[in-house]
């Protein structure tokens, strides 16, 4: 790991695709809706975290038509008042982002899921909530993995007030405890105003920052993001005696211009499912590449979760 610090991985030219922007969800009208608070469920104490289906050989490499569970949810949405401008306001568990958080779900968010379109913040956050409930809640994984809300730290907000965003990031670090043991903070970062999604994963105990991007390139494309993360870590480090160390790790390429949000979610999902803090330079052997079917699997998971939690 030490020898890999500051190194980069070159991808074959036939796997590199032009950078494309993935827009965040546009502001929608607030219609009538309901607020649902989800109660805790019993955890599985016999394992560190709940098991998901393993990716790779067990999943077909091609995707077909919409699954039954997606069509079921799509029908529920079509028959609901969401189709006429209503919204759903969902209260998340405080443990998801370390603070009280609610999310607004509207028609366009569901369409992003059904049509495999560019993902906005609402879908990103709802899948994070799914991972927290399904994999983490009530287990030791809550001490190893933490999420940072994309709505609080992104390029648009950094441009407006870097100091405020930096302080929010430090507050999130402090909320999780002393950070003296290895753990990862996941920050799904959007470059703003129709931007691209990347994942920044920070290990504060060893001061390692992993940059996971589904496109070629590095964090230098987003200097404001790096500046904010560095400043927050330095401010946090002033309260601790940590060595400063940085390691950039690359992950699989995406197959088209709209998948960056799905890839960011899949990165987090697999890291948590593997219960791995160290991210190898060439990513995990179990997940060397992702097919459309791997991403469709995530959509089905989220569809089932939305149905189970009675969000619609």
């Amino acid at each position: 790991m030490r020898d890999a610090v500051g190194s980069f991985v070159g991808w074959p030219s036939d796997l590199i695709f032009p950078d494309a922007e993935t827009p965040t969800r546009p502001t929608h009208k607030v219609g009538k809706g309901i607020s649902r608070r989800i109660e805790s469920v019993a955890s599985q104490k016999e394992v560190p975290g709940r098991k998901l289906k393993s990716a790779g050989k067990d999943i077909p490499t091609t995707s077909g038509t919409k699954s039954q569970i997606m069509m079921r949810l799509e029908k529920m949405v079509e028959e609901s008042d969401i189709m006429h401008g209503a919204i759903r306001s969902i209260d998340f568990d405080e443990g998801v982002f370390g603070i009280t958080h609610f999310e607004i779900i509207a028609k366009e968010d569901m369409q992003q899921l059904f049509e495999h379109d560019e993902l906005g913040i609402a879908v990103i956050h709802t899948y994070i909530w799914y991972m927290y409930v399904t994999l983490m809640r009530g287990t030791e994984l809550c001490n190893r993995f933490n999420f940072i809300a994309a709505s609080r730290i992104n390029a648009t907000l950094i441009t407006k007030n870097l100091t405020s965003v930096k302080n929010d990031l430090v507050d999130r670090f402090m909320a999780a405890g002393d950070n003296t043991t290895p753990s990862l903070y996941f920050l799904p970062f959007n470059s703003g105003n129709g931007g691209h999604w990347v994942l920044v994963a920070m290990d504060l105990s060893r001061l390692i920052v992993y940059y996971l991007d589904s496109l070629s390139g590095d964090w230098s494309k987003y200097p404001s993001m790096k500046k904010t993360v560095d400043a927050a870590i330095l401010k946090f480090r002033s309260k601790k005696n940590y060595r400063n160390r940085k390691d950039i790790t690359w992950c699989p390429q995406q197959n088209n211009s709209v998948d960056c949000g799905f890839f960011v979610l899949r990165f987090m999902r697999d890291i948590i499912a593997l219960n791995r803090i160290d991210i190898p330079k060439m990513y995990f052997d179990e997940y060397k590449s992702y097919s459309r079917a791997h991403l469709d699997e995530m959509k089905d998971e989220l569809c089932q979760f939305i149905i189970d939690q009675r969000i619609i």
Side-chain angles (χ1 to χ4, degrees), residues 3 7 35 64-65 67 102 110 123 156 174 177 204 207 216 222 243 248 270 278:
D3 294 337
S7 61
S35 175
T65 58
S67 67
F102 74 92
M110 303 308 302
V123 178
T156 301
M174 298 301 294
L204 300 185
L207 274 292
S216 60
Y222 311 109
R243 289 190 306 144
I248 300 175
D270 292 339
D278 291 310

Side-chain angles (χ1 to χ4, degrees), residues 99-100 113 159-160 173 182 187 247 251 269 277 292 301:
I99 55 173
T100 300
L113 184 61
T159 300
K160 293 179 179 179
F173 295 158
L187 168 60
D247 187 10
C251 293
R269 176 196 189 275
I277 299 299
R292 170 64 183 267
E301 291 169 349

Side-chain angles (χ1 to χ4, degrees), residues 96-114:
V96 178
F97 294 122
I99 55 173
T100 300
H101 182 87
F102 74 92
E103 199 63 53
I104 299 295
I105 300 293
K107 176 182 175 181
E108 58 265 31
D109 303 305
M110 303 308 302
Q111 289 175 333
Q112 292 166 10
L113 184 61
F114 299 147

Side-chain angles (χ1 to χ4, degrees), residues 23-55:
T24 56
R25 177 173 58 84
T27 303
H28 57 73
K29 289 185 178 180
V30 177
K32 62 183 179 179
I34 56 176
S35 175
R36 305 182 185 272
R37 182 173 296 279
I38 307 304
E39 302 298 330
S40 298
V41 296
S43 62
Q44 299 179 5
K45 299 297 183 180
E46 68 274 15
V47 294
R50 301 176 179 83
K51 300 297 184 182
L52 293 174
K53 292 180 181 179
S54 59

Side-chain angles (χ1 to χ4, degrees), residues 93-287:
D93 304 62
E94 187 171 327
V96 178
F97 294 122
I99 55 173
T100 300
H101 182 87
F102 74 92
E103 199 63 53
I104 299 295
I105 300 293
K107 176 182 175 181
E108 58 265 31
D109 303 305
M110 303 308 302
Q111 289 175 333
Q112 292 166 10
L113 184 61
F114 299 147
E115 303 303 326
H116 197 87
D117 204 353
E118 299 94 339
L119 296 185
I121 285 178
V123 178
I124 295 287
H125 282 177
T126 305
Y127 191 82
I128 286 174
W129 181 37
Y130 157 77
M131 289 189 289
Y132 175 83
V133 171
T134 306
L135 287 173
M136 296 171 54
R137 187 167 61 187
T139 76
E140 66 181 34
L141 294 182
C142 287
N143 298 321
R144 291 174 63 79
F145 302 102
N146 302 278
F147 301 105
I148 300 168
S151 56
R152 296 174 64 88
I153 301 174
N154 54 62
T156 301
L157 294 177
I158 289 173
T159 300
K160 293 179 179 179
N161 193 332
L162 186 151
T163 300
S164 176
V165 174
K166 177 192 68 176
N167 290 337
D168 278 348
L169 190 52
V170 173
D171 288 344
R172 180 65 182 105
F173 295 158
M174 298 301 294
D178 60 7
N179 295 291
T180 57
T181 58
S183 63
L184 286 180
Y185 287 82
F186 293 121
L187 168 60
F189 182 82
N190 190 274
S191 59
N193 295 327
H196 176 62
W197 287 102
V198 300
L199 179 65
V200 179
M202 295 160 278
D203 180 349
L204 300 185
S205 69
R206 295 174 295 175
L207 274 292
I208 298 174
V209 176
Y210 298 98
Y211 176 88
L212 295 87
D213 192 346
S214 56
L215 293 175
S216 60
D218 60 45
W219 46 258
S220 63
K221 293 186 293 184
Y222 311 109
S224 64
M225 177 270 292
K226 180 181 184 299
K227 181 178 179 180
T228 305
V229 169
D230 286 349
I233 289 176
L234 289 173
K235 184 172 181 178
F236 177 80
R237 190 183 68 167
S238 69
K239 304 176 183 296
K240 307 291 181 179
N241 294 318
Y242 292 155
R243 289 190 306 144
N244 193 11
R245 179 180 174 189
K246 204 135 316 198
D247 187 10
I248 300 175
T249 301
W250 293 89
C251 293
Q253 298 294 106
Q254 68 181 27
N255 293 319
N256 60 60
S257 62
V258 301
D259 282 348
C260 59
F262 291 100
F263 267 69
V264 162
L265 294 176
R266 187 80 201 197
F267 291 154
M268 290 188 285
R269 176 196 189 275
D270 292 339
I271 293 168
I272 295 170
L274 290 171
N275 194 9
R276 294 281 298 275
I277 299 299
D278 291 310
I279 304 175
K281 185 177 178 181
M282 293 299 293
Y283 205 52
F284 302 109
D285 290 338
E286 295 90 336
Y287 306 109

